[in-house]
Amino acid sequence: MAEILQKDGTWVFDGDALRLTPGRDKNVSLLRKALGELVVPLGALAGVSFEHGKKTGRLRLRLRDGSDPLLHATGGRLAEPHDPYQLVVESDRYGVAEYFVDEVRNALLLDQVPADPVEAYLLPGPAVPLSVSAGDGTASFDGEQIRLEWNWKTEDAKAAAGTRTLALTDLTAVEWYPAAGLENGHLRFTVKNAPTKAPPKYDPNSVELWGFKKDPLMALVAAAVQARLPHPATASKDVRPPEPQALAAPATAAEDSHDALLRRLRELGELHRTGVLTDEEFTLAKQAILKRMR
């Protein structure tokens, strides 16, 4: 097991999954605190890295495309303080961070986890029900319906329509954009057969965001909805994605048996002989297998 504890959070890797827990430090973002602990199955990872800095470094996880509804709904627009897959590391723990990276990389190599996109979500998304107030309204989601309520800052034309209720079955997409520069952000729901190009300020299916502290929390609503919409890879096939819990099930005992590990060793030896693996990669992978055989 590999573990790193920092003010920014705690990451633990047990060989099958990573457990990411946000820290309680005042600098930890509201989004990460609200999201809470994440359990990321090894099969959802595409890579891991550690970046050195003069005062602090940064651990980064790269997930396979389509594995996490939060990343899909936010489209890479989460700023660094809000990204749950980054961890700030103090300089006196650089060695621990490097060891952590080696352990995860060895496991990815040992389990031959591909880096290509997946066709079903491997993480469940934020828990429901949830409700967030930001910008010109409040967005609530109970797993089946979205409720949009307006406040005194809402444009009159949009507020005049009153509280808006959208059924999940009537939606085709959800998107979250943060405010950037002079451009406001938004949380927008796309309703079947009702496309619109109206600015979020006037769109009754959108919450306009102005760049305030609670704006990133709207990404949680977007992710919770996205997790319950058809996966982008299967939407065109009209296939309902399997439950994330089933996809994230740990390997069976048979898969981790002595014979299976011996077979992995032979496969690694062949990859080394043919030049696919470097000497260093082969040694690290072999050590990881031998640990499991003890």
Side-chain angles (χ1 to χ4, degrees), residues 44-61:
L45 284 186
V48 58
S49 64
F50 176 61
E51 301 170 2
H52 288 254
K54 290 183 178 179
K55 294 184 179 180
T56 60
R58 194 174 293 272
L59 271 172
R60 297 179 189 268
L61 295 180

Side-chain angles (χ1 to χ4, degrees), residues 56 82 108 114 195 242 281:
T56 60
H82 310 300
L108 288 171
E281 290 171 336

